[in-house]
Amino acid sequence: MTTTAIKGGRILDQQGERSGDVVVDDLTGLIVQVGPDLKADRVLDAANCLTTPGFVDLHVHLRQPGNEAAETILSGSRAAAKGGFTAVVAMPNTTPCMDDPAVVSQVMDLGEKALCQIKPSAAISLGRHGTELSPMAELVEQGVRMFTDDGTGVQDDLFMRRALEYAAGLEPGDGTSVVLAQHCEVDALSAGGVMHEGEWSSKLGLGGQPAEAEELMVMRDIAMARLTGMRVHFQHLSTAGSVAMVRAAKAGGLPITAEAAPHHFSLTDQSCATYNANFKVHPPLRTSNDVAAIRSGLLDGTIDAIATDHAPHTPDTKELPFDQAPPGMLGLETALAVAIKELGAPLGDIVAMLSWKPAKIAGLDATHGRPVQVGSQANLAVIDPHQAWVVSGAKMASNSSNTPFEGVELKGKVRHTVFNGEVVVENGEPTR
Amino acid sequence: MRSLISIEDLTASQLTEMLDLAANFAEVQQREVPKVPALRGKTVVLAFFEDSTRTRISFDLAARRLSADVVNFSVGQSSATKGESLRDTIETISAMGVDAIVIRHASSGAPQQISQWTDSAVINAGDGWHQHPTQALLDAYTIRERLGTLAGKRIAFCGDVNHSRVARSGIQAFAALGANVVLVAPRTLLPASLEGWPVEVVESLDDVISELDVAYFLRIQKERNGQALFPSLREYRQRFGLTAQRAARLKPDALIMHPGPMNRGVEIDPEVIDDPRAVVLDQVAAGIPVRMAVLFSAIGPGQFDGQDRAA
């Protein structure tokens, strides 16, 4: 048994900010002491830092199985840990697809060695084709709580209704619940699109994806939540119209949650002007008006959580012409700093969006996003909100380097990350 | 200047200088031996990742008339989508020491992308729906030759503006040279946003045909028929085609233009093609001196003074 003291910093959690050292125990994985001037076997310097509950990312692509050159569960978990995340929800668009207990088992097994908790999601439909239900009950039995066909939305209205209704009978009985999460995009309307449809797609001669392709499916799934009474989680909202609809639906009492990605509250479609495919992502970067709406949606609680949609791609694929390159960008290692820079919110609010609010949506709130107090699972991020650093894809822990923030100076860095009592990031570097 | 990727790379005065230089090279073409040694010892690679006949031949002849060594290189679009790396291809070509890469690619932005992987001058011979700057220059050249100037002229692009690199580059060039540009198309064939475009939009060709100095008809790709962009080629011709009746309403000194290849009986009716106001072949001919000017500006030794003098 080794105890570790996080010393010299302050604590920031859902109970507010206060001074205090924190001692964790790697054997039980628990916080064993909180208070002034604590001692332990080893010490992590937390001067100028805040110790917060570890972050939870509802939306990452770990590429394993199938595309290990871009990312593995281990490399992705290193990136997560560097970003202060102690749990991530792995999206099911692997090869083969996570629509089957065997593939989900494989991901869970590989997750045993990871530097954070790997919580697998699973596909709503077999092969994410939107025509046959995945074996949802069996997958829930394995521990899956989020179902999504992420990468595409469920196109067929009746199929979506059936999926929600079937999932209604799958309450796991452990205090968590099952949620269907939607990538909202009407394929017929966005077909041929490779960026946001508007001023820049028109000028650049690239096919556009109108905001309405997302908004039509958000509108439909709000209606589906009303029809079925089931929870719906909206992934990576990107348009002002989507935010407005979700705001109204929540005000109407519907059981809806939503996430937004850092790139959608920081970057606009103008970034695509150089045809650098590192700015290609689905849903696409939108207008400054949309960016402002996503920010205000996060600030007023319409959008519950920041989720990165971390999407690694190898350099050779991102060097294809813009229309042929795959969509997606890295996010785990920059999320905190981008949120600090762009949201102008109190740090406690930002940590809420990164930690306990997504932990609850993912059904991970028994062990993640807990208050920093004795008895809580020791899943912690120690962050220096003022430390300046320059983003470099080459220096990232991810196997890939496709960050849209290359060369940008940001403030706010994770100094240490503790996962189940183990120090997995020390002084900004993964320990294994 | 070195590379030419977009008309926006050129100021209005540089556009005019380029047309003046092209006029000098046009004079060379009248000579008994239509060839100058201006680019002797220079190598130009024509890297065509998309099929083209007239543009490739035009660049090929332009380079040869400047005494450059020319290498033709064609790759079907299929091999690129099979994963053949554009970067590898361009770096390989560059490693052989070439002075200019003339690139045609079906993907918008490809010329801009490859310019980061090569020190050679990059000349855009058409990329996706984005730009075709030498086409815009040869069109401007043709108009200037016939009408003396573009300033104050009313020029209409009629048809599929959205999918047209000819229109995107032509609009910029013509507007920079002082023309008033009109787009004539149904909304389905216009870009989603025209924010910042120096154009006026009309939906009926009949409303403007009698006021035009230049009626520029864009090619309709027949595979677009069936995408609900317009009901049929028949209705397209009725609304946006140059029929004999419409030609009769065109000003006597107006120009009829088309970038080719033409769908006869769709964009322009067969009986109008021989109209003396149609300058489609003049456009083709202008391609050579214009591309000589572009290549010379990119990799030539300096000002061309019309003398037979090697670099």
Side-chain angles (χ1 to χ4, degrees):
Chain A
M1 157 176 154
T2 308
T3 56
T4 305
I6 302 165
K7 285 186 69 71
R10 294 172 66 76
I11 292 167
L12 176 64
D13 64 9
Q14 44 272 67
Q15 293 161 0
E17 187 180 332
R18 57 203 177 273
S19 63
D21 297 346
V22 180
V23 176
V24 303
D25 169 14
D26 70 353
L27 195 66
T28 62
L30 299 177
I31 296 173
V32 291
Q33 278 183 289
V34 176
D37 301 323
L38 299 178
K39 293 188 170 53
D41 299 336
R42 61 185 290 200
V43 168
L44 293 178
D45 172 32
N48 307 315
C49 287
L50 291 149
T51 300
T52 77
F55 304 160
V56 175
D57 195 337
L58 292 170
H59 198 136
V60 301
H61 298 273
L62 297 177
R63 304 296 185 218
Q64 192 176 15
N67 189 6
E68 289 79 0
E71 197 79 288
T72 63
I73 286 170
L74 187 59
S75 68
S77 77
R78 281 197 190 102
K82 264 184 91 174
F85 293 90
T86 53
V88 298
V89 179
M91 290 294 108
N93 62 336
T94 48
T95 311
C97 174
M98 289 156 65
D99 61 1
D100 178 279
V103 184
V104 169
S105 281
Q106 184 192 359
V107 169
M108 293 176 94
D109 289 349
L110 289 163
E112 291 297 316
K113 294 196 181 78
L115 282 70
C116 66
Q117 184 171 345
I118 307 297
K119 181 76 168 174
S121 65
I124 296 171
S125 67
L126 290 181
R128 300 165 48 247
H129 298 313
T131 51
E132 294 172 83
L133 291 173
S134 66
M136 287 181 159
E138 209 176 343
L139 293 160
V140 168
E141 190 77 12
Q142 279 185 296
V144 170
R145 294 294 177 268
M146 179 181 283
F147 289 89
T148 175
D149 278 359
D150 181 51
T152 59
V154 173
Q155 302 295 311
D156 185 88
D157 302 342
L158 182 59
F159 186 86
M160 188 63 190
R161 176 186 183 173
R162 295 288 186 244
L164 284 163
E165 288 176 336
Y166 187 76
L170 301 178
E171 291 308 306
D174 59 359
T176 64
S177 58
V178 172
V179 64
L180 266 60
Q182 266 279 66
H183 167 129
C184 287
E185 180 177 0
V186 173
D187 289 348
L189 194 53
S190 66
V194 297
M195 67 174 293
H196 173 68
E197 179 179 293
E199 179 185 350
W200 284 96
S201 67
S202 298
K203 181 174 163 57
L204 296 169
L206 291 169
Q209 299 161 297
E212 287 75 7
E214 171 175 314
E215 289 161 1
L216 280 171
M217 195 169 282
V218 170
M219 186 186 297
R220 183 201 69 180
D221 288 337
I222 288 171
M224 289 294 170
R226 188 182 300 118
L227 179 64
T228 64
M230 265 299 282
R231 279 176 70 198
V232 174
H233 176 72
F234 289 111
Q235 298 177 302
H236 45 47
L237 291 184
S238 71
T239 82
S242 295
V243 176
M245 286 188 282
V246 169
R247 184 177 287 126
K250 281 186 155 189
L254 291 175
I256 282 168
T257 54
E259 66 184 41
H263 47 266
H264 287 133
F265 57 76
S266 57
L267 301 171
T268 68
D269 55 347
Q270 187 174 356
S271 302
C272 302
T274 60
Y275 296 96
N276 179 344
N278 282 342
F279 295 101
K280 181 176 177 182
V281 62
H282 288 178
L285 302 178
R286 307 267 187 196
T287 67
S288 54
N289 181 46
D290 296 304
V291 167
I294 300 296
R295 283 182 196 160
S296 63
L298 279 161
L299 295 177
D300 73 8
T302 299
I303 302 172
D304 302 88
I306 295 169
T308 66
D309 195 5
H310 180 81
H313 290 290
T314 55
D316 58 307
T317 60
K318 279 295 192 181
E319 283 170 355
L320 289 168
F322 195 93
D323 58 349
Q324 296 171 20
M329 40 182 68
L330 300 187
L332 286 165
E333 297 176 57
T334 47
L336 171 68
V338 172
I340 288 173
K341 178 181 178 188
E342 301 290 343
L343 293 180
L347 196 57
D349 294 351
I350 289 171
V351 174
M353 298 168 199
L354 284 164
S355 178
W356 52 88
K357 290 166 106 182
K360 178 128 182 68
I361 293 167
L364 289 166
D365 50 323
T367 47
H368 294 270
R370 305 296 302 170
V372 183
Q373 63 192 23
V374 173
S376 287
Q377 196 78 20
N379 289 316
L380 300 167
V382 180
I383 62 179
D384 180 347
H386 302 294
Q387 188 186 335
W389 58 293
V390 176
V391 179
S392 163
K395 289 185 185 161
M396 287 189 169
S398 171
N399 272 358
S400 294
S401 56
N402 53 306
T403 172
F405 300 107
E406 183 70 37
V408 174
E409 183 174 306
L410 296 172
K411 273 186 190 149
K413 204 158 196 317
V414 174
R415 190 179 292 179
H416 316 296
T417 305
V418 176
F419 169 50
N420 285 339
E422 179 195 355
V423 179
V424 288
V425 171
E426 184 170 3
N427 293 320
E429 291 304 323
T431 56
R432 60 182 173 91
Chain B
M1 122 178 203
R2 283 176 56 78
S3 292
L4 178 62
I5 289 170
S6 164
I7 284 295
E8 288 185 322
D9 296 344
L10 301 172
T11 63
S13 64
Q14 285 173 324
L15 278 171
T16 302
E17 286 164 21
M18 192 70 82
L19 299 182
D20 293 344
L21 182 57
N24 287 342
F25 283 122
E27 182 272 319
V28 168
Q29 299 223 73
Q30 309 305 317
R31 298 179 188 174
E32 194 175 349
V33 178
K35 191 160 177 169
V36 288
L39 294 185
R40 199 165 65 194
K42 303 281 187 184
T43 305
V44 175
V45 172
L46 307 181
F48 277 59
F49 294 85
E50 183 188 57
D51 289 340
S52 158
T53 306
R54 70 183 64 207
T55 303
R56 191 174 51 73
I57 292 174
S58 181
F59 265 110
D60 196 332
L61 285 171
R64 289 178 201 277
R65 286 181 185 175
L66 292 166
S67 305
D69 296 316
V70 182
V71 180
N72 267 284
F73 171 91
S74 301
V75 185
Q77 190 52 29
S78 59
S79 9
T81 50
K82 277 179 199 156
E84 211 168 76
S85 160
L86 184 59
R87 179 178 185 160
D88 285 350
T89 306
I90 294 303
E91 288 183 341
T92 303
I93 292 173
S94 295
M96 296 182 195
V98 305
D99 298 286
I101 298 173
V102 176
I103 178 172
R104 159 72 63 99
H105 203 290
S107 293
S108 295
Q112 190 163 332
Q113 282 179 301
I114 71 159
S115 61
Q116 64 186 314
W117 301 318
T118 178
D119 294 327
S120 310
V122 175
I123 310 293
N124 184 359
D127 63 323
W129 308 338
H130 176 227
Q131 283 275 315
H132 194 354
T134 58
Q135 177 76 41
L137 285 164
L138 71 87
D139 290 334
Y141 181 91
T142 304
I143 297 167
R144 199 176 75 158
E145 286 295 296
R146 285 294 190 113
L147 304 181
T149 179
L150 280 80
K153 302 298 182 191
R154 197 157 160 80
I155 301 177
F157 276 106
C158 184
D160 190 359
V161 176
N162 189 32
H163 303 101
S164 176
R165 54 190 171 218
V166 173
R168 278 190 179 75
S169 39
I171 289 163
Q172 290 172 353
F174 300 169
L177 293 167
N180 302 313
V181 181
V182 188
L183 306 183
V184 187
R187 276 284 294 279
T188 49
L189 296 178
L190 288 174
S193 166
L194 291 171
E195 178 120 14
W197 291 42
V199 296
E200 171 195 342
V201 177
V202 298
E203 298 204 3
S204 164
L205 182 55
D206 290 322
D207 286 353
V208 288
I209 187 103
S210 61
E211 306 158 14
L212 299 177
D213 298 296
V214 176
Y216 198 121
F217 295 88
L218 297 167
R219 174 177 165 77
I220 281 287
Q221 286 181 286
K222 286 190 175 166
E223 59 267 29
R224 305 238 176 260
N225 193 11
Q227 296 179 0
L229 294 167
F230 46 87
S232 64
L233 291 172
R234 179 172 171 274
E235 180 156 322
Y236 180 87
R237 171 187 164 274
Q238 285 173 353
R239 289 188 67 198
F240 302 103
L242 186 66
T243 58
Q245 292 91 325
R246 288 200 177 100
R249 294 184 57 212
L250 262 181
K251 288 195 225 172
D253 58 347
L255 304 182
I256 299 165
M257 300 179 77
H258 192 288
M262 196 185 306
N263 296 304
R264 291 172 184 246
V266 181
E267 299 105 48
I268 301 181
D269 275 7
E271 64 262 42
V272 185
I273 290 169
D274 298 326
D275 188 300
R277 296 169 294 182
V279 293
V280 175
L281 292 177
D282 299 46
Q283 291 172 262
V284 174
I288 292 171
V290 160
R291 289 175 174 124
M292 289 170 79
V294 167
L295 286 168
F296 185 84
S297 300
I299 58 171
Q303 292 299 307
F304 177 73
D305 55 12
Q307 300 304 306
D308 283 354
R309 180 165 51 74

